[in-house]
Amino acid sequence: MFVHNENVALEEASEGITRKVLAHSDNMMSVEVHFEEGAVAAMHNHPHEQLTYVLSGEFEFTIGDETKRVKVGDTMYKEPNIMHGCRCLKAGVLLDTFTPMREDFVQN
């Protein structure tokens, strides 16, 4: 029921990007994603719905065929299977929420 952030290790997601898998169930998942300035999350898609909230930093996000700059407090919705990715303009942290949960994030 409770996940204390200080007890969750950062794991490497890709170059310049680390993540912490936080609370989750079969139906939803919360993930904190840390970006170094200049890091790129390559364009990808998945069958999950995803909300992204910008906790810190600045990013350029592409969702489908639209690209926009986002900053602290901005939120993005990604429908299932839509292509999306981002480039970190200023080091920052995103909070991603997925439904259903990302099994690939918890498999060893």
Side-chain angles (χ1 to χ4, degrees), residues 8-56:
V8 181
L10 278 168
E11 55 187 55
E12 187 171 343
S14 60
E15 188 176 340
I17 304 172
T18 55
R19 69 175 168 234
K20 288 185 176 190
V21 175
L22 304 172
H24 62 279
S25 70
D26 290 343
N27 297 318
M28 64 181 357
M29 171 183 271
S30 186
V31 180
E32 189 180 275
V33 188
H34 298 246
F35 284 78
E36 294 176 7
E37 187 171 316
V40 174
M43 293 294 288
H44 65 285
N45 65 29
H46 44 73
H48 313 83
E49 283 186 277
Q50 179 180 351
L51 287 175
T52 298
Y53 180 80
V54 181
L55 292 170
S56 63

